[in-house]
Amino acid sequence: MDPIPAASAIADAALPVHATAPMPQRRLWRRMLGNPGLIVAALVLGLIAIMAVAAPLVAPHDPYEQSLDTRMTPPAFVDAERSDPAHLLGTDNLGRDYLSRLIYGARISLLIGFFTMLVSGVIGTVLGIAAGYFGGRTDMVVSFLVTTRLSLPVVMVALAVVAVLGGSLQVVVLVLGLLLWDRFAVVMRSATMQVRGREYITAARAIGCSVPRILWGEVLPNVLSGLVVIASYEMAQAILLEAALSFLGLGVQPPLPSWGLMVSEAKEFMLFEPWMIMLPGAAICLLVLAINLLGDGIRDITAPEGRS
């Protein structure tokens, strides 16, 4: 009996693992150009990333600068008469430029998503590959850890830990990273079990390769396609969880321009100025959608079964 009951269901999200020769560059480019979702996602995500990196250059105002004289100024597409050309997307309840805070908020979301995915990915990948390759007691221990983790509700545990330790960028990344590794472990375990008996693994053992050399040089490259899918999913989930924590006041703390915090600050005015919630909410949806589409597109173009 499989010690992880949910393993097969979760592992279905990952690509079936096969040992294949490297894909010719021309064929790879043809698959990329034939996948419009991948192209659109890459463009959107690239634009957001460039905007985040170059925030000091592209933001029209200081995101922390307050001006009570211009507070609650709507954008031109909402109310042309009350709008201010100096603030294209209006200002918040403290007179801070909304466009500038959205641009700087992309930094917070991408940082939390990337580093959370990195922390959880390292933990889950190491545990999953170890369980799938060695089996036996190692598999039992990892399965117990995964089962224990799956019994803990992520949002409730994150809320409790952040409430005790205090909300900050570092705490949010660490807490989410330590809570989102289970899918990595389950998928990597399943994928490793598929490749550990293949000829190239047996050949590597026969010529005397060390276990770290086999795991790093033979196993890991052949499970990367499934890893990409899970990494994109976890990055998107981390961004959503950060937004939820910030909305509840236990995530990134003011005055940092977090998109979730902007939604939280605007909820008091949602009946009178709904655009204040719609703009950061749309930014979160767009970023999460782009990340998911990018991961799905990369999975499709690297699939060994020859999808078109």
Side-chain angles (χ1 to χ4, degrees):
M1 183 176 179
D2 195 337
I4 304 179
S8 59
I10 299 178
D12 287 341
L15 182 69
V17 181
H18 300 281
T20 57
M23 184 182 297
Q25 187 175 5
R26 180 178 299 179
R27 185 182 175 196
L28 181 63
W29 277 104
R30 186 170 66 249
R31 285 193 180 189
M32 290 178 61
L33 295 176
N35 193 319
L38 174 64
I39 296 175
V40 172
L43 290 175
V44 172
L45 191 58
L47 180 62
I48 294 176
I50 293 173
M51 181 178 66
V53 172
L57 300 177
V58 299
H61 299 276
D62 184 343
Y64 305 103
E65 182 181 356
Q66 302 180 14
S67 176
L68 297 181
D69 293 334
T70 59
R71 63 188 299 270
M72 305 291 290
T73 300
F77 64 84
V78 174
D79 190 338
E81 295 182 359
R82 295 169 50 210
S83 64
D84 185 350
H87 302 284
L88 295 178
L89 294 183
T91 59
D92 63 6
N93 58 314
L94 296 177
R96 296 171 296 191
D97 184 69
Y98 227 54
L99 176 59
S100 300
R101 291 186 66 79
L102 284 173
I103 293 174
Y104 275 85
R107 279 185 165 186
I108 304 297
S109 293
L110 289 176
L111 281 174
I112 289 178
F114 177 78
F115 283 106
T116 298
M117 178 265 294
L118 189 63
V119 172
S120 60
V122 170
I123 296 173
T125 300
V126 170
L127 292 176
I129 290 179
Y133 184 80
F134 295 107
R137 292 185 177 180
T138 303
D139 190 19
M140 291 178 60
V141 172
V142 173
S143 299
F144 174 76
L145 293 175
V146 172
T147 304
T148 303
R149 167 42 213 105
L150 291 174
S151 68
L152 301 174
V154 175
V155 176
M156 296 302 295
V157 174
L159 284 173
V161 174
V162 172
V164 172
L165 299 180
S168 69
L169 188 61
Q170 295 81 1
V171 170
V172 170
V173 169
L174 185 60
V175 170
L176 294 181
L178 294 176
L179 287 173
L180 297 179
W181 55 268
D182 52 283
R183 286 187 180 85
F184 284 101
V186 171
V187 173
M188 289 300 99
R189 171 185 175 274
S190 178
T192 302
M193 291 177 68
Q194 294 182 45
V195 304
R196 69 181 180 184
R198 295 192 177 274
E199 292 80 4
Y200 56 88
I201 301 293
T202 305
R205 292 190 191 125
I207 63 176
C209 291
S210 63
V211 172
R213 168 67 179 81
I214 294 174
L215 295 179
W216 180 261
E218 303 296 338
V219 175
L220 185 59
N222 286 280
V223 298
L224 279 179
S225 55
L227 187 61
V228 168
V229 179
I230 301 302
S232 63
Y233 176 83
E234 295 297 350
M235 184 174 178
Q237 187 182 24
I239 292 172
L240 289 175
L241 286 173
E242 179 276 325
L245 291 174
S246 297
F247 178 80
L248 296 173
L250 295 173
V252 176
Q253 298 299 302
L256 284 178
S258 162
W259 289 345
L261 189 59
M262 292 174 68
V263 173
S264 177
E265 293 172 343
K267 67 179 183 293
E268 300 177 10
F269 313 102
M270 60 182 298
L271 296 179
F272 309 101
E273 303 289 350
W275 57 271
M276 294 183 66
I277 279 186
M278 293 172 58
L279 291 177
I284 294 172
C285 292
L286 184 63
L287 178 57
V288 170
L289 178 62
I291 292 173
N292 283 328
L293 286 177
L294 184 66
D296 188 65
I298 292 175
R299 175 186 180 274
D300 287 344
I301 67 172
T302 57
E305 65 268 23
R307 296 182 185 180
S308 57

